[in-house]
Amino acid sequence: MATASSSGLSSVLHGGVDTIVARATPAGRGALAVIRVSGPETAAVAQRVCPEVDTGSGWRAGLATLRGASGETLETAVVVAFPGPRSYTGEDMLEVTLHGSPYLVEAVIDAFVAAGARRAGPGEFTRRAVANGKLDLVQAEAVQDLIRADVAWQVRLAREQLAGTLSRRFAEVRSALVCLLASLEASLDFAERDVVVEPGVLERQHDRCRGLVEELLATASAGARIRDGVRVVILGGPNTGKSTLFNNLCGSERAIVSPHPGTTRDVLEAELDLEGVRMVIQDTAGLRSGGDEVEKEGRRRAVGAAASAAVVLLLWPTDAGEGEEAPETPSGVAVLRVRSKADLAAGDPLNDGWLAVSCYTGEGLEALRERLVRLVAGEIADLGGEVAIAERHRRALEQAMTELEACDLSRPELAAEGVRWALRAVQEMTGEVDSDEVLDGVFSAFCIGK
Amino acid sequence: MGELKADVVVVGAGHAGCEAAAAAARMGSAVVLVTLHRETVAQMPCNPAMGGIGKGHLIAELDALGGLQGWAADRAGIQFKILNRSRGPAVWGPRAQCDKEIYGRLMLRLMEGLPGVTLVEGEVEGLLLEDGCIYGVRLEGGVRIEAPAVILTTGTFLGGLLHTGEDRRPGGRFGERPSTGLGGELTRLGLELRRFKTGTPPRLAKASLDLERLDVQKGDPEPRPFSWRTRAVRNRCVCWVTRTPPEVRAIIRENLHRSPLFAGAIDGVGPRYCPSIEDKVVRFPHHESHTIFLEPEGVNSGSIYVNGLSTSLPQDVQERVVRTVPGLEGAAFLRYGYAVEYDVVAPRQVTRRLECREVPGLYLAGQLLGTSGYEEAAALGLLAGINAVHGLRGEEPFVPGREDAYLGVLVDDVCGREHREPYRMFTSRAEHRLLLGVDSARERLMAEGRRLSLVPERAFHVEQERWRKRRLARTVLEEARINPNAATRERVRRVAGVELSSPSSWAQVLRRHDVDAENVAAALSELEGLTAEDRRIVVGMLRYDGYLARHEHERERLRRMRHIPIPADLDPASIPGLSREVAEALEVEQPQTIADAERLPGITPAALAILTGRIARGGGGE
């Protein structure tokens, strides 16, 4: 991973480090806004804008009066000083929390600029953090995700990436690939008489590479599900109240509801955020035989949607006739069984694991929401928080996997090609691997030479 | 005070110096080649072999460009073997055990007789400079040789220091004094030097060894020459194999404090691929035994090179160690092993044409640039010779790309990258290894050799004709369909040992994993008119097809990509995966296009791929 150890890189890149200022919270009107200052002149700049702040004793919030260039009072704000290197960027920093008026925020930034700071370019704080070894690049990406994340789960995932779990996982993949490549190269670059790769070693190293990539890939698809929302499909016979429930969960009249079976023909979709858990909920055509071509196609789509969903809400009305059977649900999908139209017949609300719900009276709706959140969250929790969150990670890992699958270890010069391509595929995440590093692996593992 | 004038002065007549001098002279320049002693021209001071894996590739490329090493190794060779025969042809490494005396004599005669080359004995003590430009050299005793281009190939002689145990003395090689004045000159020019180390094993008297008991290693049954200049070669001797017994470890451990390597007397960094026996014992303590190859230094020479026992331990310890080894109990030493420390020029101070950035007209080649090995030295020498002449004529430099030749990989790595140890060629350094097999060297480079007038027209046409035939044969194999019927089934079964179930081409049959393609090719009437070797080459390429296509594609992409402009607001530090070194180089040099970036020191192909990927995605600053 490309991490710089000191501010040396920073000074090379920026021609001497200056002090930067920018708004850290999103643009626009909000209750509060945060302004950040970072750089060697932080204390001097603070001295002019908010002289009451003691930049020497850090990590303590205090109230301070902010003053403009001509000494006028702008605002009373909460100010925290973070002396470097124990700060986000690794430099001396200041964070100012103030009222979110865009005019006020601009005025305060102007005051800092007048006091000697420079307006930061996009991503400059994070870049400095990377340059100073406070973040590596995968972590920096996670920061971007954190900034964009708008629901609680995503925030948590982004935080965990920030803690370096994902970087660690990629580093593991990288070193496994380099090990395998070193063994292959050792058997190619040194004559048979000089180097003996023990039997089984290549196979074991190859398996390990595939295993690691596979594990990461598995979490990557889950990551995409979290980012895009976990898919919940409402499934059931005709006229079981699927669309009514759908509208109810969405809180709007998205689906047309009628007493006639077969009203819903295509798959309808809505995004939902329940207690910070994002999901995509889909309403489908009722499952029954017969009907016209359009209705048949609708059913085909319903079954397809259910098969690839994370959770199926299976509806079975309280007033179902004798001999009618609930439709089958696809295997491998979490199923939440719902007795709909509970108002039509009184009964045990949690009879045989069926949850009685009435959209008409509201009975059971709260319990349904709660169980839905738990189910979906459970799906996410299985991922253990180590998620390849960016789509490009997934593409790169898949590419690497394809290369690894095609490796024929009995032809080492061709297998080495495959591993090299696999490394190339993931190099943007892992940093490039050059031949010296592979040779390092060779020389540490094998007693070479004359 | 005498005075000589030339176009090019080459200082040092080792493997680099001879190639440089010959190339420059044959391209029409007047060359003065300065050597300390006539008798030591083109010496092989370490192992008695030329070529091997990676190194054999360099010789093949050198030969395709008209270089001398392959030609000389063919004539001085006494045992020929292709290493890695069990692998695919891209990594086959031709190697020849050579008669050192014949080799040196051949080169000396060639240098003395080559029109355009004047061989001068003497020590260069200073460089002639005016306004930062070089115009010649000054020999000890005051003789001046004026020339607008100077090529330094001083090997291990700059600041050379020899170690055997506690004994150390200044020297470039065994029995030869180092060059002292020149090192100071380079430092005065502002060149940064660093210290490397290398070593060599003892030489034993053949008559004192009990070789009868040991396993014999023979050359290939059908030895193959390196050079297009050579019709045939033959094996004239064998080598022997033995192993160190476990007690060697104890002897070495007891005496480690007397080893200059471990006692701290040596500051220079040694090559990990060529460790001393003391290194091996310390780093791999669980290895009970290490293999030793006994290689004759000449066909009539009584000297045996003890390959695998490089050491700088004191003489008495060397004797104890050697005499525990089966077959060597009665060994008489002709020469003890020693380590040599020497100065090299730190990388990035020469351009890819091997010219000093700060001193126009001054070219460097060989071990002085931090490489190790006769082949690496010769390769750099040839390139320096060509580029010195091109420089004088104001022509474009001759610098093969990494995707074109191992020569390109070598120049790129040696000039552009930090290396912590003497640089040796490995096939793993070549990203496009499958394209760069020994088999394809002539097809890749001989036209260049012709253009540089280093390869005679006739030889070029002979080769061209071979390529044409190979291409034709390939088309036949690819296009002629075999439809399954009783006769064709029987034939495929007989020739290839497999069943033909659907209409196929021979190419498809030959690509099958269960087919011994080489044997089949030897029997195919479709390949009539092709030599056995050309048949093998055609089939070898066929079996790499899918991979080669990918590399060709990549090579094309590289060529296209060179024209891509780099946006001015691109922030290299923000690009994931780029090493800090590369990001800094991009930031400092501000290249305008990918092609410019590629020329920067330290830029790897991987870095270029990442950079291009980012630009393609529309990446400016963030």
Side-chain angles (χ1 to χ4, degrees):
Chain A
M1 205 54 53
T3 52
S5 56
S6 69
S7 59
L9 178 62
S10 198
S11 60
V12 170
L13 293 181
H14 304 285
V17 186
D18 52 3
T19 298
I20 50 175
V21 60
R23 176 179 184 143
T25 42
R29 186 175 294 274
L32 293 172
V34 174
I35 291 171
R36 272 176 172 173
V37 181
S38 175
E41 299 301 315
T42 298
V45 169
Q47 185 57 39
R48 285 179 211 127
V49 180
C50 41
E52 299 145 71
V53 174
D54 175 11
T55 48
S57 62
W59 307 288
R60 204 171 299 146
L63 271 182
T65 306
L66 306 179
R67 294 182 190 285
S70 44
E72 75 279 18
T73 302
L74 295 172
E75 159 84 325
T76 305
V78 177
V79 180
V80 187
F82 301 92
R86 285 178 56 203
S87 71
Y88 175 70
T89 58
E91 302 170 333
D92 288 347
M93 278 188 76
L94 207 62
E95 273 186 20
V96 181
T97 308
L98 66 165
H99 292 113
S101 145
Y103 304 105
L104 178 61
V105 171
E106 277 311 300
V108 172
I109 290 178
D110 283 343
F112 278 113
V113 170
R118 165 175 70 77
R119 283 176 187 267
E124 209 171 338
F125 284 91
T126 302
R127 205 148 62 228
R128 287 186 177 197
V130 172
N132 292 326
K134 303 293 286 188
L135 289 175
D136 71 22
L137 287 161
V138 173
Q139 289 170 335
E141 275 192 326
V143 176
Q144 288 303 314
D145 274 331
L146 189 63
I147 292 167
R148 287 191 214 108
D150 52 357
V151 293
W153 276 98
Q154 284 165 301
V155 172
R156 208 199 82 193
L157 284 171
R159 275 215 190 98
E160 274 168 14
Q161 273 197 34
L162 201 51
T165 18
L166 188 61
S167 309
R168 212 162 49 235
R169 294 283 291 270
F170 270 116
E172 258 172 33
V173 169
R174 178 185 203 271
S175 82
L177 286 168
V178 170
C179 272
L180 173 59
L181 188 56
S183 300
L184 288 165
E185 297 293 1
S187 73
L188 293 172
D189 263 335
F190 299 92
E192 296 95 312
R193 64 174 208 188
D194 292 332
V195 161
V196 181
V197 180
E198 301 287 333
V201 166
L202 288 178
E203 288 75 11
R204 270 202 306 283
Q205 291 178 334
H206 186 228
D207 284 347
R208 180 169 154 73
C209 291
R210 280 191 305 183
L212 288 172
V213 172
E214 219 162 72
E215 272 173 42
L216 254 184
L217 261 178
T219 66
S221 68
R225 255 198 280 165
I226 295 162
R227 194 177 52 250
D228 304 336
V230 168
R231 221 147 46 77
V232 176
V233 169
I234 307 180
L235 201 67
N239 224 3
T240 47
K242 297 182 295 298
S243 299
T244 310
L245 179 61
F246 177 76
N247 286 341
N248 199 299
L249 287 171
C250 298
S252 68
E253 301 295 316
R254 282 285 311 277
I256 301 167
V257 180
S258 86
H260 306 293
T263 305
T264 306
R265 296 187 162 198
D266 204 351
V267 176
L268 285 182
E269 194 174 285
E271 271 189 32
L272 207 58
D273 182 352
L274 294 180
E275 296 173 33
V277 178
R278 183 192 279 187
M279 57 192 90
V280 174
I281 192 150
Q282 294 181 320
D283 184 20
T284 61
L287 300 174
R288 61 158 182 180
S289 49
D292 59 19
E293 282 308 307
V294 178
E295 206 183 328
K296 280 182 190 157
E297 175 59 21
R299 283 201 301 276
R300 217 183 44 74
R301 291 185 184 189
V303 172
S308 60
V311 175
V312 166
L313 276 180
L314 183 65
L315 261 59
W316 183 240
T318 311
D319 63 343
E322 282 294 313
E324 276 185 54
E325 277 180 27
E328 282 183 23
T329 51
S331 57
V333 175
V335 179
L336 183 52
R337 292 167 210 281
V338 176
R339 253 307 183 208
S340 57
K341 307 188 184 176
D343 50 292
L344 294 183
D348 186 347
L350 281 172
N351 172 18
D352 331 324
W354 287 84
L355 177 64
V357 169
S358 166
C359 290
Y360 184 63
T361 62
E363 174 195 344
L365 273 175
E366 205 38 55
L368 173 66
R369 283 204 179 91
E370 190 186 305
R371 285 178 65 173
L372 193 55
V373 165
R374 235 185 304 143
L375 253 180
V376 172
E379 288 281 305
I380 298 168
D382 286 344
L383 307 171
E386 297 180 312
V387 172
I389 209 148
E391 170 66 8
R392 69 183 189 88
H393 293 166
R394 187 186 60 75
R395 277 200 310 271
L397 286 166
E398 270 172 3
Q399 174 82 44
M401 196 61 180
T402 310
E403 300 294 346
L404 284 169
E405 294 290 352
C407 272
D408 174 2
L409 297 176
S410 68
R411 301 173 78 190
E413 83 271 27
L414 299 182
E417 284 290 304
V419 181
R420 288 172 174 204
W421 287 102
L423 273 167
R424 282 191 59 161
V426 294
Q427 67 189 0
E428 285 201 37
M429 270 71 73
T430 61
E432 45 173 321
V433 171
D434 68 19
S435 63
D436 280 335
E437 188 176 344
V438 177
L439 287 168
D440 286 347
V442 172
F443 296 132
S444 58
F446 300 96
C447 180
I448 301 288
K450 339 187 235 196
Chain B
M1 273 215 300
E3 199 153 309
L4 276 169
K5 278 196 194 301
D7 298 319
V8 179
V9 185
V10 181
V11 181
H15 302 286
C18 288
E19 295 285 356
R26 291 164 63 209
M27 289 170 75
S29 291
V31 178
V32 171
L33 175 61
V34 186
T35 177
L36 285 170
H37 308 285
R38 264 187 147 66
E39 312 79 71
T40 57
V41 166
Q43 271 219 334
M44 297 171 70
C46 197
N47 65 327
M50 285 285 174
I53 302 161
K55 292 165 170 281
H57 292 79
L58 285 174
I59 298 187
E61 292 182 356
L62 208 55
D63 185 64
L65 286 172
L68 308 173
Q69 197 161 41
W71 164 84
D74 284 340
R75 268 146 201 81
I78 52 180
Q79 190 201 78
F80 295 82
K81 196 178 174 71
I82 292 178
L83 304 183
N84 261 355
R85 265 312 285 250
S86 66
R87 313 294 189 207
V91 292
W92 289 1
R95 189 194 57 187
Q97 299 297 135
C98 290
D99 184 310
K100 291 182 167 183
E101 205 190 312
I102 298 178
Y103 194 99
R105 229 175 30 225
L106 261 176
M107 275 298 193
L108 173 62
R109 273 214 308 269
L110 187 71
M111 290 303 127
E112 285 178 330
L114 198 64
V117 176
T118 309
L119 189 65
V120 170
E121 259 187 352
E123 181 180 349
V124 171
E125 145 193 286
L127 304 174
L128 304 177
L129 287 151
E130 197 173 84
D131 300 332
C133 285
I134 198 150
Y135 69 96
V137 300
R138 190 181 61 247
L139 302 188
E140 198 185 40
V143 177
R144 291 152 61 97
I145 307 171
E146 289 191 6
V150 174
I151 305 176
L152 293 186
T153 65
T154 53
T156 58
F157 279 72
L158 271 196
L161 190 59
L162 307 182
H163 298 258
T164 307
E166 295 91 342
D167 176 71
R168 60 170 159 169
R169 61 189 65 187
R173 268 191 307 240
F174 179 82
E176 294 179 62
R177 67 198 170 96
S179 164
T180 41
L182 209 46
E185 282 283 282
L186 293 184
T187 317
R188 266 192 297 284
L189 284 175
L191 287 176
E192 183 195 335
L193 302 181
R194 60 187 55 158
R195 205 105 173 111
F196 275 174
K197 167 249 156 188
T198 187
T200 192
R203 312 300 145 84
L204 306 176
K206 187 176 174 187
S208 68
L209 310 180
D210 185 6
L211 298 170
E212 295 291 301
R213 287 159 55 198
L214 304 180
D215 287 339
V216 164
Q217 284 222 319
K218 291 186 173 161
D220 287 339
E222 290 169 41
R224 187 174 136 192
F226 287 104
S227 179
W228 49 264
R229 297 180 176 97
T230 313
R231 212 181 299 268
V233 290
R234 69 189 176 96
N235 293 317
R236 299 161 73 186
C237 74
V238 296
C239 300
W240 297 268
V241 194
T242 181
R243 299 189 67 84
T244 59
E247 56 262 40
V248 158
R249 295 185 294 177
I251 301 175
I252 287 175
R253 277 190 211 123
E254 276 163 33
N255 288 285
L256 267 187
H257 62 284
R258 299 176 63 200
S259 152
L261 272 178
F262 290 91
I266 290 182
D267 308 319
V269 190
R272 288 172 301 173
Y273 47 82
C274 204
S276 62
I277 185 72
E278 47 268 39
D279 246 340
K280 288 197 257 187
V281 165
V282 170
R283 291 191 47 228
F284 295 89
H286 50 288
H287 287 204
E288 284 216 331
S289 168
H290 299 274
T291 313
I292 302 232
F293 298 90
L294 300 172
E295 303 173 348
E297 297 210 284
V299 70
N300 294 316
S301 156
S303 174
I304 295 288
Y305 176 90
V306 192
N307 191 337
L309 219 61
S310 173
T311 179
S312 54
L313 285 163
Q315 299 187 352
D316 61 301
V317 185
Q318 292 193 23
E319 286 170 10
R320 280 180 65 198
V321 166
V322 164
R323 288 177 188 148
T324 59
V325 177
L328 312 185
E329 292 86 350
F333 279 66
L334 297 177
R335 183 188 297 175
Y336 291 89
Y338 62 89
V340 54
E341 275 188 286
Y342 54 100
D343 287 334
V344 300
V345 173
R348 300 186 194 183
Q349 302 179 94
V350 292
T351 61
R352 281 177 202 193
R353 59 160 69 187
L354 304 178
E355 189 177 15
C356 285
R357 284 176 193 277
E358 305 302 328
V359 191
L362 181 60
Y363 296 78
L364 309 180
Q367 262 171 309
L368 179 59
L369 279 180
T371 59
S372 96
Y374 313 138
E375 304 82 356
E376 288 83 352
L380 290 173
L382 179 83
L383 293 173
I386 295 170
N387 281 318
V389 174
H390 279 198
L392 292 178
R393 295 180 187 156
E395 286 171 14
E396 283 290 297
F398 174 67
V399 184
R402 295 184 78 94
E403 70 277 20
D404 298 321
Y406 277 90
L407 294 173
V409 175
L410 177 70
V411 169
D412 217 41
D413 285 352
V414 166
C415 300
R417 306 175 62 178
E418 249 342 291
H419 23 96
R420 292 160 294 169
E421 62 190 333
Y423 181 96
R424 170 181 156 181
M425 186 49 74
F426 292 107
T427 67
S428 56
R429 298 195 194 271
E431 293 76 12
H432 302 277
R433 171 163 64 196
L434 295 185
L435 291 175
L436 305 185
V438 165
D439 286 340
S440 66
R442 292 180 200 168
E443 214 168 339
R444 281 184 278 122
L445 295 168
M446 217 162 164
E448 281 297 336
R450 176 76 207 106
R451 201 177 56 79
L452 295 163
S453 56
L454 292 171
V455 169
E457 183 139 7
R458 213 179 130 259
F460 179 62
H461 287 316
V462 170
E463 287 296 323
Q464 254 187 330
E465 181 57 17
R466 283 181 66 192
W467 308 333
R468 195 189 58 79
K469 280 188 183 164
R470 294 208 296 245
R471 277 197 292 269
L472 196 71
R474 202 200 142 98
T475 316
V476 170
L477 292 179
E478 210 65 82
E479 287 176 4
R481 311 293 292 174
I482 334 170
N483 288 311
N485 58 40
T488 55
R489 279 216 177 92
E490 166 54 25
R491 181 164 179 240
V492 171
R493 204 176 300 133
R494 187 167 41 79
V495 176
V498 292
E499 287 300 321
L500 184 70
S501 48
S502 55
S504 329
S505 65
W506 274 111
Q508 283 167 316
V509 174
L510 289 165
R511 278 192 203 110
R512 287 177 58 158
H513 283 263
D514 50 354
V515 165
D516 180 349
E518 224 178 291
N519 277 334
V520 177
L524 276 187
S525 54
E526 281 80 354
L527 298 179
E528 232 162 43
L530 249 64
T531 62
E533 182 171 311
D534 281 334
R535 288 178 183 224
R536 189 190 53 64
I537 293 176
V538 168
V539 170
M541 288 305 207
L542 214 59
R543 296 195 67 152
Y544 278 158
D545 256 359
Y547 294 86
L548 293 181
R550 208 165 167 180
H551 278 286
E552 287 295 355
H553 180 79
E554 179 64 15
R555 189 142 78 166
E556 259 323 293
R557 205 181 60 84
L558 273 171
R559 285 180 184 145
R560 272 201 316 274
M561 160 177 131
R562 295 202 167 107
H563 304 291
I564 297 175
I566 298 176
D569 64 339
L570 185 84
D571 176 8
S574 72
I575 301 176
L578 279 189
S579 73
R580 178 175 152 189
E581 218 175 7
V582 167
E584 278 184 25
L586 292 173
E587 188 65 36
V588 172
E589 305 279 342
Q590 303 269 335
Q592 307 285 304
T593 64
I594 295 287
D596 297 340
E598 196 182 8
R599 279 194 277 275
L600 298 179
I603 302 284
T604 58
L608 281 185
I610 293 175
L611 187 62
T612 319
R614 171 51 68 112
I615 294 170
R617 281 205 302 275
E622 281 294 293

